Amino acid sequence: MNRIRIGGAEQADEATRNALIDKVIENAEVDIPDPMVEEKLNDMMQEMGWRMQQQGFSMEQYLSMLGQTPAQMRDMYRSEAELTVKTELVLDEIVKAEGIEASDEDVDNLLAGYAEPMGQTVEEIKKSFGEGQMEFFKHRAAVTKALDMLWETAKVTEELHDPKA
């Protein structure tokens, strides 16, 4: 799950939303298929490789600097991959159980967040995407609606902690 860094009240609101999602995921009982975890690990390693290339390193050089093997790196990120897969499975199940569907407007609103920084319109960015990419964004928009539904129906309480306790 991508977490956005923002300031002030928005940051507090986002932190509360993230805590809600964490609680929902924590309380969910899900069988996590090993192949899905392995696929997520592959994605994470590939993304890490791209980030290293942008910084002028190969993945092999990066691993050498850390003194790790690819297997050790995968083991280090395994719990994160498992949590990501569990989160995706739980959110997909909420979308399905609640019959949540994304409208064209929902997808356009999501795409606007990608188009604006690239200096493009939503229509321009849509033309550059294939059918598979548009399905991805339609699914992301449905998940966003599920998250909004969770937020709207949640009872958020404030816990006060005594710093002396």
Side-chain angles (χ1 to χ4, degrees), residues 16-90:
T16 305
R17 284 177 176 256
N18 289 336
L20 170 65
I21 294 164
D22 292 346
K23 197 65 165 170
V24 168
I25 302 310
E26 176 186 316
N27 291 325
E29 292 184 27
V30 179
D31 289 325
I32 304 171
D34 287 336
M36 288 182 79
V37 173
E38 292 303 317
E39 184 177 330
K40 183 57 67 181
L41 278 168
N42 290 342
D43 292 347
M44 291 169 73
M45 296 295 287
Q46 187 175 31
E47 185 178 325
M48 189 178 306
W50 288 331
R51 285 196 313 261
M52 290 303 106
Q53 283 179 342
Q54 290 175 336
Q55 296 179 24
F57 296 101
S58 70
M59 188 63 155
E60 292 76 23
Q61 290 170 319
Y62 179 66
L63 289 170
S64 177
M65 287 188 302
L66 294 176
Q68 291 188 332
T69 66
Q72 289 170 321
M73 179 69 72
R74 289 175 73 85
D75 286 344
M76 189 168 76
Y77 285 101
R78 185 166 303 281
S79 62
E80 183 180 337
E82 288 170 352
L83 179 60
T84 300
V85 169
K86 182 178 181 181
T87 301
E88 290 170 356
L89 290 171
V90 169

